[in-house]
Amino acid sequence: MRKLWIDTDTASDDAVALLMALREPSVQVLGISVVMGNVSLEQAVKNALISVERAGTYAPPVYAGASKPLYRSTDFAVVCHGVDGLSDRGYPDAKLQAKGQNAMEAMLRCARENPGEVELVTLGPLTNVAAAAFMDPEGFKLFKSITIMGGALRMPGNWSPVAEFNIIIDPEAAEAVFHAGVPVILAPFEICTGDSLFAQEDRDRLAAASPTGAFAVDCNLVLIEYGKRLGLNGLCLADPAAMAVVLWPQIVQEKQETYLCVETAGKYTTGMVIYDYIDHLHRPKNGTVIQRIDGKAFKERTIRCLS
Ligand code: BDR
Ligand code: CA
């Protein structure tokens, strides 16, 4: 069975991605590390534990990690996900407890115990992952791959004119992870738009599918309203789209192997992902960019998985 480790700044779309991974029978989630991002570290840990409990399957250990970016101050995404990250619906805390504050050690231990086997999936800023790569560069290289929800390559940014949230919150961390020697698979923001948007009809089907599906819609009510302000005709689920690329790779319709790096010192462009699509820079390829997914299949498989 495929083995996953998930790093998350758990807010409403991270919650759906966690439900998907924990309910997909072909993978086993060995652990979950939590990072600040959409919400504070403390709130993100609470939300991760709520999500694990709501999945109703099994409970991998949850570890707290970084409470701030490597060098910068941070900015929470209250406008997208609500104050508590789950649309302020008053969900009770989970009964489960986190295993402690040692996310980086736990992630590295998992890579060393399962050399070349663990697929890392990141749904938030890359602070925990960069810190792990700095702590033990050789151990870190024992991860099989890193699928990153990050960047906005074929559309404007969602947190600056050119940058996506997960990258701009800690651009130095993202730049370090792109060059840490593990193949990167980048799932940029635009793959959750267009046909991948959950329209009212899709949301109704998901909500009616099961209590888990109902939770997936309910915790995203603030994100639905935020999307309307951006002119999006439906719920944009960035982290679930990245998770779907991992769980169901057959939904990928177009991808390109390329050199990837992050602007860390731009006057206007800090946090922008540089995607060297025709090899201007002549650098060794360090990643694969997902350019297009089958949005309909993504939604169908997600609804089925949460039913
Ligand atoms: C990313 O930022 C957050 O709002 C989402 O959880 C996702 O990880 C999208 O830019
Ligand atoms: Ca996230």
Side-chain angles (χ1 to χ4, degrees), residues 32 36 43 52 56 65 69 110 135 137 142-143 153-154 180 186 208 223 228 233 247 250 255 282:
I32 297 171
M36 60 69 225
Q43 184 67 55
V52 170
C110 180
M135 280 168 62
L142 297 173
F143 280 111
L153 307 181
R154 288 182 170 178
L186 192 75
L223 190 55
K228 287 182 193 161
N233 192 20
L247 301 180
Q250 44 305 7
K255 60 184 180 179
H282 307 299

Side-chain angles (χ1 to χ4, degrees), residues 8-11 13-14 38 81 123-125 149 165-166 239:
T8 164
D9 61 332
T10 317
D13 66 324
D14 301 66
N38 290 161
H81 304 281
L123 310 175
M149 190 285 119
F165 181 86
N166 288 343
D239 293 335

Side-chain angles (χ1 to χ4, degrees), residues 21 25-26 44 66 77 91 112 174 202 217 227 236 248-249 278-279 287 303-305:
S26 66
Y91 301 121
R112 284 206 174 268
D202 304 313
V217 175
C236 56
W248 312 307
I278 46 171
D279 199 24
I303 294 169
R304 207 183 319 149
C305 181

Side-chain angles (χ1 to χ4, degrees), residues 64-295:
S67 59
K68 51 190 176 55
L70 293 180
Y71 308 114
R72 297 171 187 257
S73 57
T74 197
D75 192 9
F76 298 139
V78 173
V79 66
C80 306
H81 304 281
V83 175
D84 74 357
L86 296 178
S87 295
D88 303 318
R89 308 295 288 159
Y91 301 121
D93 285 351
K95 293 196 181 65
L96 292 168
Q97 301 275 320
K99 291 280 181 216
Q101 305 288 320
N102 47 349
M104 294 61 143
E105 284 99 336
M107 179 186 303
L108 288 163
R109 191 167 56 244
C110 180
R112 284 206 174 268
E113 285 172 358
N114 302 272
E117 286 188 75
V118 184
E119 300 171 58
L120 181 54
V121 188
T122 73
L123 310 175
L126 288 149
T127 319
N128 285 350
V129 182
F134 293 147
M135 280 168 62
D136 178 4
E138 291 313 310
F140 186 76
K141 284 187 196 139
L142 297 173
F143 280 111
K144 181 178 180 184
S145 60
I146 313 176
T147 301
I148 295 174
M149 190 285 119
L153 307 181
R154 288 182 170 178
M155 67 176 281
N158 65 355
W159 213 249
S160 89
V162 296
E164 179 277 332
F165 181 86
N166 288 343
I167 305 294
I168 198 173
I169 291 297
D170 199 341
E172 287 79 13
E175 173 70 346
V177 171
F178 283 7
H179 295 92
V182 178
V184 166
I185 299 153
L186 192 75
F189 188 80
E190 59 267 26
I191 66 166
C192 79
T193 64
D195 288 349
S196 296
L197 290 169
F198 279 68
Q200 181 72 55
E201 188 201 332
D202 304 313
R203 300 198 296 271
D204 289 347
R205 285 181 57 217
L206 179 55
S210 69
T212 313
F215 168 70
V217 175
D218 191 64
C219 75
N220 276 291
L221 292 179
V222 171
L223 190 55
I224 294 167
E225 288 309 309
Y226 180 69
K228 287 182 193 161
R229 285 168 45 192
L230 295 185
L232 295 174
N233 192 20
L235 170 62
C236 56
L237 290 177
D239 293 335
M243 186 59 77
V245 165
V246 176
L247 301 180
W248 312 307
Q250 44 305 7
I251 71 166
V252 174
Q253 293 179 319
E254 212 182 314
K255 60 184 180 179
Q256 186 183 355
E257 210 188 338
T258 183
Y259 174 69
L260 290 166
C261 58
V262 179
E263 177 60 88
T264 55
K267 186 171 172 192
Y268 300 109
T269 55
T270 299
M272 181 179 189
V273 174
I274 314 299
Y275 151 41
D276 193 11
Y277 70 109
I278 46 171
D279 199 24
H280 286 289
L281 300 174
H282 307 299
R283 302 265 175 89
K285 295 180 170 54
N286 57 352
T288 299
V289 168
I290 306 299
Q291 292 162 316
R292 198 154 54 87
I293 63 170
D294 179 341

